Amino acid sequence: MKNIVILGGGYGGIKVLTGLLGLSLPKDVLITVVDKNPYHSYKTEFHTIVAGTAADVDVRTKFPKHDQVEYEFGTVRSINYETQEIYFEGKSNIVSYDYLVIALGCEDAYHGIEGAEKYTESVQSFSKARHAALAVGNLKAYGKLSIVGAGLSGIEVASEVRESRPDLNIRLLDRGGSVLRAFDPKIQAHVADWFIRNDVEVLHHANVEYVEKDGVCNNGICYVNDVTVWTAGVQPHRIVRELPFKKDKYNKIVVNKFFQVPTHKNIYVIGDNASSEHSPSGQLAGQQGEQVAVILENTLKGRQPKTPKEIRLRGTLGSLGRSDGFGSMFSQSLTGLLPRLTKSGVLWLQKRHN
Ligand SMILES: Cc1cc2nc3c(=O)[nH]c(=O)nc-3n(C[C@H](O)[C@H](O)[C@H](O)COP(=O)(O)OP(=O)(O)OC[C@H]3O[C@@H](n4cnc5c(N)ncnc54)[C@H](O)[C@@H]3O)c2cc1C
Protein backbone atom coordinates (compact mmCIF):
# COMPACT_ATOMS: atom_id res chain seq x y z
CA MET A 1 0.00 0.00 0.00
CA LYS A 2 1.09 3.58 -0.65
CA ASN A 3 0.01 6.04 1.99
CA ILE A 4 -0.87 9.64 1.15
CA VAL A 5 -1.10 11.69 4.31
CA ILE A 6 -2.94 15.01 4.22
CA LEU A 7 -2.06 17.21 7.19
CA GLY A 8 -4.99 19.57 7.75
CA GLY A 9 -8.50 19.07 6.37
CA GLY A 10 -9.27 22.78 5.92
CA TYR A 11 -9.77 24.71 2.68
CA GLY A 12 -6.78 23.20 0.89
CA GLY A 13 -6.68 19.72 2.44
CA ILE A 14 -10.35 18.93 1.75
CA LYS A 15 -9.86 19.70 -1.95
CA VAL A 16 -6.93 17.29 -2.18
CA LEU A 17 -9.13 14.66 -0.57
CA THR A 18 -12.32 15.23 -2.60
CA GLY A 19 -10.22 15.70 -5.74
CA LEU A 20 -8.51 12.33 -5.27
CA LEU A 21 -11.81 10.61 -4.48
CA GLY A 22 -13.31 12.07 -7.64
CA LEU A 23 -10.51 10.60 -9.76
CA SER A 24 -9.82 6.91 -10.30
CA LEU A 25 -7.69 6.14 -7.28
CA PRO A 26 -5.48 3.03 -7.62
CA LYS A 27 -6.63 0.28 -5.21
CA ASP A 28 -3.22 0.06 -3.50
CA VAL A 29 -3.50 3.64 -2.19
CA LEU A 30 -4.63 4.64 1.28
CA ILE A 31 -5.31 8.29 2.17
CA THR A 32 -4.92 9.35 5.78
CA VAL A 33 -6.40 12.73 6.68
CA VAL A 34 -4.97 14.22 9.86
CA ASP A 35 -6.77 17.05 11.62
CA LYS A 36 -7.10 18.18 15.21
CA ASN A 37 -10.85 18.46 14.60
CA PRO A 38 -13.07 15.55 13.53
CA TYR A 39 -14.75 17.75 10.91
CA HIS A 40 -13.93 20.10 8.05
CA SER A 41 -14.17 23.71 9.21
CA TYR A 42 -14.89 26.90 7.28
CA LYS A 43 -12.35 29.30 8.69
CA THR A 44 -13.66 32.13 6.51
CA GLU A 45 -16.74 32.15 8.79
CA PHE A 46 -15.01 32.16 12.17
CA HIS A 47 -16.03 35.80 12.77
CA THR A 48 -19.64 34.54 13.04
CA ILE A 49 -18.56 32.17 15.81
CA VAL A 50 -16.88 35.07 17.63
CA ALA A 51 -19.99 37.23 17.29
CA GLY A 52 -22.37 34.44 18.30
CA THR A 53 -24.36 34.81 15.07
CA ALA A 54 -23.65 31.26 13.88
CA ALA A 55 -23.66 27.92 15.64
CA ASP A 56 -20.76 25.48 15.42
CA VAL A 57 -22.66 23.25 13.01
CA ASP A 58 -23.15 26.14 10.58
CA VAL A 59 -19.43 26.44 9.90
CA ARG A 60 -18.33 22.84 9.73
CA THR A 61 -19.21 19.74 7.70
CA LYS A 62 -18.50 16.03 8.07
CA PHE A 63 -15.47 14.56 6.34
CA PRO A 64 -16.42 12.11 3.59
CA LYS A 65 -16.39 8.36 4.23
CA HIS A 66 -14.59 6.07 1.79
CA ASP A 67 -13.00 2.66 2.12
CA GLN A 68 -9.60 4.02 1.02
CA VAL A 69 -9.65 6.89 3.52
CA GLU A 70 -8.67 6.82 7.17
CA TYR A 71 -8.82 9.68 9.65
CA GLU A 72 -6.39 10.46 12.43
CA PHE A 73 -7.85 13.09 14.72
CA GLY A 74 -5.13 14.65 16.83
CA THR A 75 -2.85 17.65 17.03
CA VAL A 76 0.31 17.22 14.98
CA ARG A 77 3.44 17.95 16.98
CA SER A 78 6.10 17.49 14.32
CA ILE A 79 7.11 15.98 11.00
CA ASN A 80 10.22 13.85 10.55
CA TYR A 81 10.86 14.12 6.83
CA GLU A 82 13.80 11.70 7.02
CA THR A 83 11.85 8.76 8.49
CA GLN A 84 8.63 10.05 6.82
CA GLU A 85 6.68 10.04 10.07
CA ILE A 86 4.16 12.32 11.80
CA TYR A 87 4.10 12.69 15.58
CA PHE A 88 1.26 13.92 17.76
CA GLU A 89 0.73 15.89 20.94
CA GLY A 90 -0.27 13.70 23.87
CA LYS A 91 -0.40 10.36 22.07
CA SER A 92 2.26 7.91 21.02
CA ASN A 93 0.92 6.65 17.69
CA ILE A 94 2.88 7.59 14.62
CA VAL A 95 1.53 8.02 11.08
CA SER A 96 3.91 7.12 8.25
CA TYR A 97 3.66 8.50 4.74
CA ASP A 98 4.90 7.89 1.24
CA TYR A 99 3.44 11.19 0.03
CA LEU A 100 2.69 14.09 2.34
CA VAL A 101 0.48 17.14 1.77
CA ILE A 102 0.99 19.96 4.27
CA ALA A 103 -2.18 22.06 4.52
CA LEU A 104 -2.10 23.17 8.15
CA GLY A 105 -3.16 26.79 7.64
CA CYS A 106 -1.65 29.78 9.43
CA GLU A 107 -1.34 31.23 12.91
CA ASP A 108 -1.40 34.73 14.37
CA ALA A 109 1.72 36.86 14.03
CA TYR A 110 2.25 39.15 17.01
CA HIS A 111 5.26 41.04 15.63
CA GLY A 112 6.98 40.86 19.03
CA ILE A 113 4.40 43.21 20.61
CA GLU A 114 4.45 42.74 24.36
CA GLY A 115 1.30 41.21 25.83
CA ALA A 116 -0.34 40.63 22.43
CA GLU A 117 -0.25 36.83 22.51
CA LYS A 118 -1.14 36.63 26.19
CA TYR A 119 -3.97 39.14 26.37
CA THR A 120 -5.73 39.02 23.02
CA GLU A 121 -8.37 36.72 21.58
CA SER A 122 -7.81 35.03 18.23
CA VAL A 123 -9.88 33.91 15.22
CA GLN A 124 -7.24 31.65 13.72
CA SER A 125 -8.61 28.29 14.89
CA PHE A 126 -12.03 26.94 15.77
CA SER A 127 -11.20 26.52 19.46
CA LYS A 128 -9.70 30.02 19.64
CA ALA A 129 -12.76 31.51 17.92
CA ARG A 130 -14.99 29.74 20.47
CA HIS A 131 -12.82 31.15 23.26
CA ALA A 132 -13.18 34.63 21.76
CA ALA A 133 -16.95 34.10 21.47
CA LEU A 134 -17.14 33.40 25.20
CA ALA A 135 -15.18 36.55 26.04
CA VAL A 136 -17.27 38.74 23.72
CA GLY A 137 -20.57 37.10 24.62
CA ASN A 138 -19.93 37.54 28.35
CA LEU A 139 -19.23 41.26 28.02
CA LYS A 140 -21.52 43.29 30.24
CA ALA A 141 -23.77 45.96 28.74
CA TYR A 142 -21.75 48.74 27.07
CA GLY A 143 -18.51 46.75 27.48
CA LYS A 144 -15.45 47.79 25.49
CA LEU A 145 -14.12 45.67 22.64
CA SER A 146 -11.00 46.51 20.60
CA ILE A 147 -10.08 44.77 17.37
CA VAL A 148 -6.48 45.22 16.29
CA GLY A 149 -6.07 45.04 12.51
CA ALA A 150 -8.48 46.28 9.84
CA GLY A 151 -7.89 43.73 7.11
CA LEU A 152 -10.63 41.39 5.89
CA SER A 153 -10.94 39.33 9.09
CA GLY A 154 -10.82 42.42 11.39
CA ILE A 155 -13.55 44.13 9.36
CA GLU A 156 -15.73 41.03 9.43
CA VAL A 157 -15.27 40.54 13.18
CA ALA A 158 -16.05 44.21 13.95
CA SER A 159 -19.17 44.37 11.78
CA GLU A 160 -20.55 40.98 12.82
CA VAL A 161 -20.14 41.78 16.53
CA ARG A 162 -21.67 45.22 16.01
CA GLU A 163 -24.85 43.69 14.57
CA SER A 164 -24.93 41.05 17.28
CA ARG A 165 -24.29 43.45 20.19
CA PRO A 166 -25.50 47.02 19.48
CA ASP A 167 -24.70 48.02 23.08
CA LEU A 168 -20.94 47.42 22.94
CA ASN A 169 -18.32 50.12 22.44
CA ILE A 170 -16.30 48.79 19.53
CA ARG A 171 -12.98 50.22 18.41
CA LEU A 172 -11.07 49.06 15.34
CA LEU A 173 -7.36 49.87 15.19
CA ASP A 174 -6.17 50.23 11.63
CA ARG A 175 -2.49 50.47 10.76
CA GLY A 176 -3.16 52.37 7.52
CA GLY A 177 -4.87 55.61 6.61
CA SER A 178 -7.94 53.78 5.35
CA VAL A 179 -9.43 50.36 6.03
CA LEU A 180 -8.82 47.47 3.58
CA ARG A 181 -5.80 49.01 1.91
CA ALA A 182 -5.59 46.20 -0.64
CA PHE A 183 -9.09 46.95 -1.98
CA ASP A 184 -10.51 49.49 -4.43
CA PRO A 185 -11.18 53.02 -2.98
CA LYS A 186 -14.93 52.54 -3.64
CA ILE A 187 -14.93 49.54 -1.31
CA GLN A 188 -12.80 51.34 1.26
CA ALA A 189 -15.26 54.25 1.28
CA HIS A 190 -18.28 51.93 1.60
CA VAL A 191 -16.76 50.07 4.54
CA ALA A 192 -15.63 53.31 6.25
CA ASP A 193 -19.16 54.69 5.85
CA TRP A 194 -20.68 51.47 7.28
CA PHE A 195 -18.56 51.86 10.40
CA ILE A 196 -19.59 55.52 10.82
CA ARG A 197 -23.28 54.66 10.40
CA ASN A 198 -23.00 51.72 12.78
CA ASP A 199 -21.04 53.52 15.44
CA VAL A 200 -17.75 51.60 15.26
CA GLU A 201 -14.82 53.85 16.09
CA VAL A 202 -11.94 53.41 13.64
CA LEU A 203 -8.47 54.61 14.68
CA HIS A 204 -6.18 55.03 11.67
CA HIS A 205 -2.36 54.99 11.65
CA ALA A 206 -2.45 52.68 14.66
CA ASN A 207 0.84 51.50 16.06
CA VAL A 208 0.11 49.20 18.99
CA GLU A 209 3.01 49.32 21.44
CA TYR A 210 1.78 46.80 24.00
CA VAL A 211 -1.34 45.04 25.17
CA GLU A 212 -2.44 44.60 28.77
CA LYS A 213 -5.19 42.52 30.34
CA ASP A 214 -7.51 45.50 30.36
CA GLY A 215 -6.20 47.74 27.63
CA VAL A 216 -4.36 48.43 24.39
CA CYS A 217 -1.61 51.03 24.21
CA ASN A 218 -1.39 52.69 20.84
CA ASN A 219 0.75 55.63 19.75
CA GLY A 220 1.39 56.60 23.38
CA ILE A 221 -2.27 56.44 24.47
CA CYS A 222 -3.61 53.51 26.52
CA TYR A 223 -7.26 52.70 25.85
CA VAL A 224 -9.05 50.93 28.69
CA ASN A 225 -10.68 47.91 27.25
CA ASP A 226 -12.47 44.69 28.29
CA VAL A 227 -11.67 42.36 25.38
CA THR A 228 -9.11 42.67 22.57
CA VAL A 229 -9.29 40.57 19.40
CA TRP A 230 -6.08 40.23 17.37
CA THR A 231 -6.45 40.30 13.58
CA ALA A 232 -3.20 42.13 12.86
CA GLY A 233 -1.30 39.59 10.83
CA VAL A 234 -0.63 35.93 10.27
CA GLN A 235 2.37 33.69 9.75
CA PRO A 236 2.84 30.09 8.58
CA HIS A 237 2.07 27.29 11.03
CA ARG A 238 4.71 26.59 13.71
CA ILE A 239 5.35 23.11 12.28
CA VAL A 240 6.10 24.64 8.90
CA ARG A 241 8.29 27.37 10.38
CA GLU A 242 10.38 24.69 12.07
CA LEU A 243 11.00 22.68 8.89
CA PRO A 244 14.46 23.46 7.46
CA PHE A 245 13.20 23.87 3.87
CA LYS A 246 13.79 27.00 1.79
CA LYS A 247 11.35 29.77 2.77
CA ASP A 248 10.30 33.12 1.30
CA LYS A 249 10.34 36.45 3.18
CA TYR A 250 7.00 35.52 4.82
CA ASN A 251 8.48 32.24 6.13
CA LYS A 252 6.35 30.23 3.68
CA ILE A 253 7.87 27.16 2.02
CA VAL A 254 9.09 27.74 -1.52
CA VAL A 255 7.54 25.08 -3.77
CA ASN A 256 8.01 24.14 -7.42
CA LYS A 257 5.24 24.31 -10.06
CA PHE A 258 3.86 20.98 -8.75
CA PHE A 259 3.63 22.38 -5.17
CA GLN A 260 6.47 20.05 -4.15
CA VAL A 261 9.32 20.90 -1.85
CA PRO A 262 12.12 20.88 -4.48
CA THR A 263 14.49 18.84 -2.28
CA HIS A 264 11.76 16.43 -1.07
CA LYS A 265 9.42 15.84 -3.98
CA ASN A 266 7.11 13.52 -2.05
CA ILE A 267 6.14 16.53 0.14
CA TYR A 268 3.54 18.98 -1.20
CA VAL A 269 2.70 22.28 0.50
CA ILE A 270 -0.48 24.27 -0.19
CA GLY A 271 -2.58 27.11 1.19
CA ASP A 272 -1.37 29.58 3.78
CA ASN A 273 1.97 27.78 4.14
CA ALA A 274 3.08 27.74 0.50
CA SER A 275 4.92 30.64 -1.08
CA SER A 276 2.75 32.16 -3.80
CA GLU A 277 2.41 35.30 -5.89
CA HIS A 278 -1.20 35.48 -4.63
CA SER A 279 -2.39 36.62 -1.21
CA PRO A 280 -3.46 33.75 1.06
CA SER A 281 -7.14 32.85 0.79
CA GLY A 282 -9.54 29.96 1.02
CA GLN A 283 -9.99 30.11 -2.73
CA LEU A 284 -6.25 29.91 -3.41
CA ALA A 285 -5.83 26.97 -1.00
CA GLY A 286 -8.77 25.19 -2.64
CA GLN A 287 -7.47 25.60 -6.20
CA GLN A 288 -4.02 24.44 -5.16
CA GLY A 289 -5.63 21.43 -3.45
CA GLU A 290 -7.53 20.50 -6.63
CA GLN A 291 -4.31 20.71 -8.63
CA VAL A 292 -2.34 18.59 -6.16
CA ALA A 293 -5.02 15.88 -6.36
CA VAL A 294 -4.48 15.63 -10.15
CA ILE A 295 -0.68 15.71 -9.77
CA LEU A 296 -0.79 12.95 -7.15
CA GLU A 297 -3.11 10.77 -9.23
CA ASN A 298 -0.72 10.98 -12.18
CA THR A 299 2.30 10.33 -9.99
CA LEU A 300 0.64 7.27 -8.40
CA LYS A 301 -0.07 5.87 -11.86
CA GLY A 302 3.55 6.38 -12.92
CA ARG A 303 2.73 9.20 -15.33
CA GLN A 304 4.56 12.51 -15.54
CA PRO A 305 2.06 15.13 -14.29
CA LYS A 306 1.25 17.99 -16.64
CA THR A 307 2.22 21.50 -15.56
CA PRO A 308 -0.81 22.77 -13.62
CA LYS A 309 -2.88 25.55 -15.18
CA GLU A 310 -2.33 29.07 -13.94
CA ILE A 311 -4.34 29.78 -10.79
CA ARG A 312 -7.26 32.08 -11.63
CA LEU A 313 -8.88 33.66 -8.60
CA ARG A 314 -12.44 34.85 -8.96
CA GLY A 315 -12.14 37.73 -6.51
CA THR A 316 -12.69 38.31 -2.81
CA LEU A 317 -15.94 38.77 -0.92
CA GLY A 318 -16.39 40.21 2.55
CA SER A 319 -19.35 40.68 4.85
CA LEU A 320 -20.55 43.64 6.88
CA GLY A 321 -22.98 41.80 9.09
CA ARG A 322 -25.94 39.94 7.60
CA SER A 323 -27.19 42.26 4.86
CA ASP A 324 -24.25 44.29 3.62
CA GLY A 325 -20.95 43.40 2.09
CA PHE A 326 -18.29 44.16 -0.47
CA GLY A 327 -16.10 42.40 -2.95
CA SER A 328 -14.18 42.38 -6.15
CA MET A 329 -15.49 39.93 -8.72
CA PHE A 330 -14.40 39.67 -12.35
CA SER A 331 -12.50 42.99 -11.96
CA GLN A 332 -15.65 44.77 -10.70
CA SER A 333 -15.92 46.37 -7.26
CA LEU A 334 -19.26 45.62 -5.66
CA THR A 335 -20.82 46.87 -2.43
CA GLY A 336 -24.08 46.25 -0.61
CA LEU A 337 -26.51 43.33 -0.57
CA LEU A 338 -25.39 41.64 -3.82
CA PRO A 339 -21.84 40.74 -2.74
CA ARG A 340 -23.24 39.73 0.67
CA LEU A 341 -25.73 37.32 -0.90
CA THR A 342 -23.03 36.04 -3.23
CA LYS A 343 -20.78 35.31 -0.25
CA SER A 344 -23.59 33.29 1.40
CA GLY A 345 -24.20 31.50 -1.89
CA VAL A 346 -20.51 30.59 -2.22
CA LEU A 347 -20.52 29.13 1.31
CA TRP A 348 -23.67 27.15 0.58
CA LEU A 349 -22.10 25.73 -2.60
CA GLN A 350 -18.87 24.87 -0.78
CA LYS A 351 -20.78 22.97 1.91
CA ARG A 352 -22.83 21.11 -0.67
CA HIS A 353 -19.78 20.24 -2.73
CA ASN A 354 -17.66 19.10 0.21
C1 LIG B 1 -12.19 35.52 10.21
C2 LIG B 1 -11.57 35.13 8.89
C3 LIG B 1 -12.22 35.46 7.71
C4 LIG B 1 -11.67 35.10 6.48
N1 LIG B 1 -12.35 35.42 5.35
C5 LIG B 1 -11.90 35.00 4.16
C6 LIG B 1 -12.65 35.23 2.98
O1 LIG B 1 -13.71 35.87 3.02
N2 LIG B 1 -12.17 34.73 1.80
C7 LIG B 1 -11.01 34.00 1.73
O2 LIG B 1 -10.64 33.52 0.64
N3 LIG B 1 -10.24 33.79 2.82
C8 LIG B 1 -10.66 34.26 4.04
N4 LIG B 1 -9.93 33.98 5.17
C9 LIG B 1 -8.63 33.27 5.02
C10 LIG B 1 -8.86 31.76 4.81
O3 LIG B 1 -9.67 31.26 5.84
C11 LIG B 1 -7.53 31.01 4.76
O4 LIG B 1 -6.67 31.62 3.82
C12 LIG B 1 -7.78 29.53 4.36
O5 LIG B 1 -8.58 28.89 5.33
C13 LIG B 1 -6.44 28.80 4.20
O6 LIG B 1 -6.67 27.46 3.87
P1 LIG B 1 -5.63 26.34 4.37
O7 LIG B 1 -6.10 25.06 3.79
O8 LIG B 1 -4.24 26.78 4.13
O9 LIG B 1 -5.82 26.29 5.96
P2 LIG B 1 -7.12 26.11 6.84
O10 LIG B 1 -8.37 26.24 6.08
O11 LIG B 1 -6.93 27.00 8.02
O12 LIG B 1 -7.02 24.58 7.32
C14 LIG B 1 -6.01 24.17 8.22
C15 LIG B 1 -6.48 22.87 8.87
O13 LIG B 1 -5.39 22.35 9.64
C16 LIG B 1 -5.85 21.93 10.92
N5 LIG B 1 -4.73 22.05 11.84
C17 LIG B 1 -4.05 23.17 12.17
N6 LIG B 1 -3.05 22.88 13.01
C18 LIG B 1 -3.10 21.56 13.22
C19 LIG B 1 -2.31 20.64 13.99
N7 LIG B 1 -1.23 21.04 14.71
N8 LIG B 1 -2.65 19.35 13.98
C20 LIG B 1 -3.73 18.88 13.25
N9 LIG B 1 -4.48 19.70 12.50
C21 LIG B 1 -4.17 21.00 12.48
C22 LIG B 1 -7.02 22.85 11.22
O14 LIG B 1 -7.91 22.26 12.16
C23 LIG B 1 -7.64 23.06 9.83
O15 LIG B 1 -8.65 22.11 9.58
C24 LIG B 1 -10.43 34.37 6.42
C25 LIG B 1 -9.77 34.05 7.62
C26 LIG B 1 -10.32 34.41 8.83
C27 LIG B 1 -9.60 34.04 10.11
Side-chain angles (χ1 to χ4, degrees):
M1 287 299 272
K2 291 194 189 86
N3 200 5
I4 302 174
V5 174
I6 303 172
L7 293 188
Y11 270 82
I14 193 84
K15 289 294 179 192
V16 180
L17 177 64
T18 54
L20 281 167
L21 297 183
L23 298 164
S24 57
L25 201 58
K27 283 287 162 222
D28 64 343
V29 172
L30 177 71
I31 305 171
T32 306
V33 178
V34 175
D35 203 293
K36 57 185 171 185
N37 294 320
Y39 42 76
H40 166 65
S41 35
Y42 296 88
K43 188 175 186 178
T44 57
E45 298 300 310
F46 281 0
H47 55 286
T48 62
I49 294 293
V50 175
T53 52
D56 249 50
V57 289
D58 298 328
V59 299
R60 57 175 156 89
T61 44
K62 287 179 193 154
F63 284 124
K65 282 189 182 157
H66 190 277
D67 55 11
Q68 283 174 271
V69 181
E70 282 184 355
Y71 291 95
E72 183 70 40
F73 297 126
T75 302
V76 176
R77 178 165 47 86
S78 59
I79 302 166
N80 186 334
Y81 57 90
E82 277 161 353
T83 57
Q84 304 193 167
E85 289 174 332
I86 308 298
Y87 308 110
F88 294 86
E89 306 270 4
K91 54 181 185 176
S92 56
N93 55 326
I94 293 169
V95 171
S96 300
Y97 64 84
D98 297 297
Y99 300 92
L100 180 69
V101 181
I102 302 177
L104 287 167
C106 63
E107 299 177 344
D108 290 294
Y110 296 103
H111 317 293
I113 296 171
E114 203 185 316
E117 184 167 5
K118 187 166 182 193
Y119 295 121
T120 64
E121 299 290 339
S122 165
V123 287
Q124 292 304 332
S125 74
F126 219 135
S127 61
K128 286 179 179 173
R130 288 187 192 110
H131 193 276
L134 209 61
V136 172
N138 282 337
L139 278 172
K140 296 206 171 86
Y142 314 113
K144 294 184 178 66
L145 169 70
S146 287
I147 296 138
V148 182
L152 184 57
S153 51
I155 298 283
E156 291 192 314
V157 171
S159 53
E160 196 78 15
V161 176
R162 162 48 75 229
E163 275 198 0
S164 169
R165 287 288 303 268
D167 62 296
L168 295 180
N169 292 291
I170 305 177
R171 178 179 287 132
L172 182 62
L173 288 91
D174 173 23
R175 194 163 177 78
S178 60
V179 290
L180 290 173
R181 267 169 301 167
F183 284 74
D184 184 270
K186 176 186 162 185
I187 289 178
Q188 291 176 8
H190 181 79
V191 174
D193 180 59
W194 194 97
F195 285 131
I196 292 169
R197 282 188 287 112
N198 290 277
D199 198 22
V200 173
E201 184 187 0
V202 183
L203 289 182
H204 294 295
H205 304 294
N207 181 22
V208 172
E209 284 131 1
Y210 57 95
V211 184
E212 294 181 328
K213 190 170 182 298
D214 53 2
V216 174
C217 295
N218 173 55
N219 279 328
I221 301 170
C222 289
Y223 297 90
V224 177
N225 188 39
D226 298 308
V227 173
T228 306
V229 178
W230 192 260
T231 55
V234 291
Q235 61 182 336
H237 197 286
R238 175 193 57 80
I239 288 166
V240 166
R241 300 201 304 275
E242 286 173 359
L243 287 169
F245 302 147
K246 190 175 174 200
K247 314 264 176 49
D248 68 8
K249 63 177 178 179
Y250 304 109
N251 237 342
K252 296 181 186 187
I253 294 178
V254 175
V255 288
N256 65 16
K257 62 185 177 186
F258 298 114
F259 304 100
Q260 294 163 316
V261 176
T263 52
H264 295 77
K265 291 200 173 125
N266 61 336
I267 303 181
Y268 299 78
V269 189
I270 55 172
D272 292 353
N273 291 300
S275 182
S276 169
E277 61 183 296
H278 303 286
S279 301
S281 70
Q283 210 185 128
L284 177 65
Q287 287 195 27
Q288 292 174 335
E290 284 168 7
Q291 295 191 345
V292 165
V294 176
I295 293 164
L296 272 169
E297 192 224 11
N298 278 297
T299 306
L300 289 163
K301 291 181 174 165
R303 300 192 296 240
Q304 172 60 30
K306 285 190 198 141
T307 298
K309 281 192 190 142
E310 205 185 318
I311 298 264
R312 288 206 179 274
L313 299 172
R314 289 178 291 274
T316 311
L317 293 162
S319 63
L320 294 164
R322 285 285 147 129
S323 50
D324 206 333
F326 55 88
S328 52
M329 285 190 306
F330 307 108
S331 313
Q332 293 249 25
S333 293
L334 301 170
T335 55
L337 184 60
L338 179 64
R340 182 66 189 88
L341 290 177
T342 311
K343 187 174 160 101
S344 298
V346 169
L347 179 67
W348 183 84
L349 279 174
Q350 280 170 345
K351 283 183 180 170
R352 207 179 134 81
H353 193 246
N354 288 340

